[in-house]
Structure formats: C-alpha cells, structure tokens
Amino acid sequence: MGNCKLCGSKQIQVIYSGLIRDGGLGKYTKEPVCMWQCEDCNVIWHDMLMENTKQYYESTEYRNSLEGRSDASAFYELHDKETLDKFQYTGTDIFRQKVVADVGCGCGAFLDFVKGVAKTVVAIEPAEAYRFIMEEKGFQIYAYAEEAKKDWKAGVDVITSFDVIEHVESPRKFMCDVYDLLSESGRAIIGTPTEAPVMRCLLGQIYEQQQLFSTQHLWVFSENNLRMLAEEAGFKKIEFKYFQRYGIKNLLGWLKEKTPRSDIDSLLISNTLDNVWRSECSAYGTADYIVTYLYK
C-alpha cells in the first residue's frame, strides 16, 4: 500500500475514489482518482502527477485551465478583489520600509498594493508571461524561491504566499526555501485551503468531487502537517489562524443546488448572520482556509 508521501508513515488509507476536479469548476477527470490520507500527520494527497509540472506552471496552461484566460486584465479582474482578504490575513502594518517577497504571486495583484510602502518588492512567479509584466513594474523578479536565494538569502523581512503550497511537488522544500529567504527578525505568512470540515460533513462526496479535490492541488493540508513541515525547516515560533472565505449564503446554496457558485439570494440572510457564521467557523477551526505565521 505504500507510505505517506509527507511523513513516511505506513498508516495511510484511501478516503475517496472517484472523479475529481480537473481545472476550473465543472471540469472533471476522465478516470477515478484515489485520494489518500495519513492517519499520523493527517495530510491528504493524490498521485496523479503531470509529466512536466515545471513547464505547466511556467506556461499559460495552468491559468487557462483554471480560469479560462491567462492575460493580465483577466488576472486582475479575478484577483484584485481577493486583496482585501489577504490584508485580513497579514494586517497592513508589517510592510512599510521592508523587503517583501510574495511566492507564487501571479501577475502581482497583491504586490501592487504593497509596493507603495515596501522598501523592495520581490516577486516570485513561475509563469513567464507574468514575470515580464512585473518586471515593468520595477519588482525584483524570480521564477522560483530557489533562484531568489542567490540574491536574497536571509534578506527578506516579510514573505507571503497564498494558495501555492498545495500545488508544489515538495512542500518540504517549499518550506525550507521560505526559511532560507527570511531574515532573522522576519516573518512568513502562508495561506492554503483546509479540508473544509463543515462543508464535507454536510455535503460529503458532492463537495469533495466538485470543489475540494483537484488534480492541480496535490495536497490538502491541516495544522498538524503544516506544523511538522515548519518545524523541520527550522522555524521556532509557529502560529495558525483560520478564515472562512465563503459565507452562509454559499453554504445554503450548496445544500439546495448541490453545486458551487449557487449562493442563496435572500433578504432573510443578513450581513450580521453571515458574519457570525464566518467568525464561528474561524474561531473553532472549521473554516475553509488556514494561515500559518512563521518566525525563526
């Protein structure tokens, strides 16, 4: 049966076998995929690796598959609105006159808002077309964190990375690269989707197939395994916060329609109720997003 791909434990089991999302919503694999989970470190993964992951992310294929377009205007249209959420994870007081790096920054939507106060912006992004655009903005450009270490080892004050670690073949190397880039007094903030326990409990395999499990997400992390990776990399102080990105209207829409993007449009669902739902999920660690805060 093999061992856990993350911690090496023999205590692993198949928790799902069926079609999973392959790119954007509504696209699925042609054949069933097994999702494995480790009973010791709790990580979830699949073995459906593409032949050339590096080429896939360096080209426009990834964005075209996920979002249908890969031009800069499409990226900003989709991701500018996420910036407020990211500042919710980071706060706004940590960037001024700092060297800031964003790993897997796409077209730089988040960094566009940071550059006004940062001392230096380091943009790390494998997609070649996006790197050309960010070079014009005056960012320090690198395809991978490994390359950035040549110039910025132990020289970055703030490292952010959102929705990236679940895509990489070696999250252990990813975490070590972040450690190497970070200055002694710096901090790293890494966000990734969780296994969304509330949604999975209520919707089961419908949610797993249509949303949670994806060919492009090689891993689904939780606090236990993220802490393990961070400690192995050398981080001494590790903290976690949970954030519920989708509101109760989305939950009710899922329950009614059994499909994503089906928010209930009802005046009965007030902003107060929605905020309570989000805050309760976040407080009890049942939210759909986890953010790791790392210090050397």
Side-chain angles (χ1 to χ4, degrees), residues 53 57 62 66 163-169 216-219:
T53 303
Y57 285 109
Y62 166 62
L66 182 66
D163 303 287
V164 175
I165 192 172
E166 68 272 15
H167 291 268
V168 303
E169 290 190 33
Q216 296 164 332
H217 289 187
L218 307 183
W219 312 90

Side-chain angles (χ1 to χ4, degrees), residues 22-217:
D22 186 20
L25 296 176
K27 301 177 182 178
Y28 303 101
T29 56
K30 295 179 180 178
E31 302 293 334
V33 175
C34 287
M35 300 297 303
W36 296 84
Q37 184 166 29
C38 176
E39 296 179 12
D40 288 329
C41 75
N42 302 123
V43 75
I44 300 171
W45 78 93
H46 64 73
D47 293 316
M48 191 177 175
L49 299 179
M50 61 191 69
E51 291 184 5
N52 194 330
T53 303
K54 187 176 180 180
Q55 180 179 337
Y56 178 70
Y57 285 109
E58 289 180 355
S59 70
T60 58
E61 186 177 356
Y62 166 62
R63 290 293 172 187
N64 286 332
S65 174
L66 182 66
E67 298 167 353
R69 294 169 57 188
S70 58
D71 57 282
S73 59
F75 184 91
Y76 297 139
E77 182 181 335
L78 289 168
H79 297 285
D80 274 348
K81 56 191 174 186
E82 297 172 356
T83 298
L84 190 59
D85 286 337
K86 291 177 181 178
F87 279 125
Q88 183 183 358
Y89 311 148
T90 66
T92 58
D93 60 334
I94 65 174
F95 301 109
R96 188 170 296 278
Q97 290 302 303
K98 303 295 185 181
V99 177
V100 180
D102 192 22
V103 182
C105 59
C107 211
F110 178 66
L111 290 177
D112 285 343
F113 290 88
V114 171
K115 69 178 181 180
V117 296
K119 178 181 179 181
T120 303
V121 170
V122 180
I124 301 174
E125 168 57 42
E128 185 176 15
Y130 289 168
R131 292 202 304 274
F132 286 130
I133 294 170
M134 289 186 292
E135 188 173 18
E136 294 178 350
K137 299 177 182 181
F139 298 162
Q140 301 292 311
I141 311 300
Y142 302 90
Y144 299 98
E146 180 71 30
E147 297 177 8
K149 287 194 295 183
K150 298 173 185 177
D151 298 323
W152 295 100
K153 186 174 182 179
V156 180
D157 300 308
V158 181
I159 297 175
T160 59
S161 185
F162 304 109
D163 303 287
V164 175
I165 192 172
E166 68 272 15
H167 291 268
V168 303
E169 290 190 33
S170 176
R172 183 169 279 104
K173 183 180 185 306
F174 174 95
M175 197 69 79
C176 288
D177 285 343
V178 169
Y179 182 90
D180 289 343
L181 282 170
L182 198 67
S183 66
E184 286 301 319
S185 60
R187 70 184 80 188
I189 303 170
I190 299 172
T192 185
T194 71
E195 57 185 283
V198 171
M199 301 296 282
R200 289 181 75 194
C201 177
L202 294 173
L203 293 160
Q205 288 196 355
I206 292 174
Y207 184 78
E208 292 173 336
Q209 179 191 94
Q210 296 188 38
Q211 178 72 30
L212 181 64
F213 299 146
S214 163
T215 55
Q216 296 164 332
H217 289 187

